[in-house]
């Protein structure tokens, strides 16, 4: 394999690693409006590896079984859902959106309905990530903050709990991810 000076495969080698899918999957019951995020369950539990989480502008969050192409769970928000992620063991999912809330939904109980608000922001919540190493849910918002929530704590009412940590930022959060003890955020105005 040819490499660049940085030790990375050259363009031709990288392109050979990309394979066209042999077949696609079209959801039998897709959302009624634009999809805002998709995520596979990364739990080590083989029975959960088949799950696909889909959030949408139509105010829904749905968990699909890829193998049977069916909706296993469906949840409603007060406003469009901008992002969602699975929790530690794949037995719960979290969602957030234009309604400024961060919501927990238990899988395995009722297959539909509303979840439990674990916290709120002052503006819409654009992104979520579950930091498994710290057992924290992290939310990034257009209110220019990142907030960390302990999902093991019970909700303190309709507004949720106080965040375990709150970090003010110089711009709106548009994307983020975590790895180990690191958190990376993409902010407005390229900050």
């Amino acid at each position: 394999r040819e490499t660049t000076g940085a030790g990375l495969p050259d363009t031709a080698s990288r392109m050979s690693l990309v394979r066209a899918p042999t077949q696609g999957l079209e959801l039998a019951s897709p959302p009624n409006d634009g999809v805002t995020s998709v995520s596979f369950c990364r739990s080590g539990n083989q029975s959960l590896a088949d799950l696909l989480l889909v959030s949408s502008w139509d105010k829904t969050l749905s968990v699909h079984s890829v193998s049977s192409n069916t909706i296993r769970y469906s949840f409603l928000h007060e406003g469009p859902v901008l992002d969602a992620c699975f929790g530690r063991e794949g037995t719960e999912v979290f969602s957030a959106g234009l309604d400024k809330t961060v919501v927990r939904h238990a899988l395995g109980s009722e297959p539909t309905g509303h979840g439990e608000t674990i916290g709120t922001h002052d503006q819409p919540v654009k992104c979520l990530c579950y930091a498994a190493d710290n057992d924290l849910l992290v939310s990034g918002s257009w209110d220019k903050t990142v907030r960390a929530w302990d999902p093991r704590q019970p909700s303190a009412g309709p507004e949720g709990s106080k965040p375990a940590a709150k970090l003010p930022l110089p711009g709106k959060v548009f994307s983020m991810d975590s790895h180990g003890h690191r958190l990376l955020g993409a902010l407005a105005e390229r900050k």
Side-chain angles (χ1 to χ4, degrees):
R1 183 182 286 180
E2 299 292 320
T3 62
T4 64
L8 300 171
D10 66 13
T11 303
S13 296
R14 287 189 305 230
M15 292 305 292
S16 70
L17 297 175
V18 176
R19 295 186 182 145
T22 56
Q23 68 182 44
L25 172 69
E26 185 172 329
L27 296 176
S29 300
N32 294 322
D33 205 341
V35 170
T36 55
S37 73
V38 294
S39 178
F40 283 105
C41 183
R42 301 205 187 321
S43 167
N45 184 335
Q46 196 60 28
S47 67
L48 300 175
D50 178 52
L51 300 181
L52 176 67
L53 182 60
V54 180
S55 64
S56 172
W57 280 96
D58 69 1
K59 304 178 185 180
T60 64
L61 175 69
S62 52
V63 180
H64 298 257
S65 166
V66 174
S67 61
S68 66
N69 200 358
T70 57
I71 294 178
R72 298 260 309 263
Y73 303 95
S74 180
F75 305 101
L76 294 173
H77 257 256
E78 296 297 319
V81 184
L82 298 180
D83 201 10
C85 64
F86 282 93
R88 176 181 283 282
E89 301 297 324
T91 57
E92 61 187 358
V93 295
F94 301 97
S95 58
L98 289 182
D99 60 7
K100 306 175 191 174
T101 62
V102 177
V103 181
R104 174 193 4 242
H105 310 272
L107 302 183
S109 57
E110 293 296 317
T112 61
H114 293 274
E116 171 190 19
T117 299
I118 63 170
T120 59
H121 277 263
D122 299 327
Q123 293 293 318
V125 184
K126 173 60 178 88
C127 46
L128 295 173
C129 65
Y130 187 78
D133 287 358
N134 300 309
D135 205 12
L136 293 172
L137 177 69
V138 182
S139 56
S141 171
W142 293 342
D143 66 7
K144 300 180 182 180
T145 66
V146 167
R147 300 179 191 201
W149 311 94
D150 184 345
R152 299 166 297 182
Q153 297 298 316
S155 177
E159 295 296 314
S161 303
K162 294 220 181 268
K166 178 180 174 182
L167 176 66
L169 299 170
K172 294 178 179 180
V173 181
F174 281 101
S175 183
M176 66 181 188
D177 197 8
S178 67
H179 180 72
H181 297 290
R182 296 182 191 106
L183 180 69
L184 175 67
L187 308 181
E189 302 170 23
R190 295 196 244 178
K191 294 183 179 179

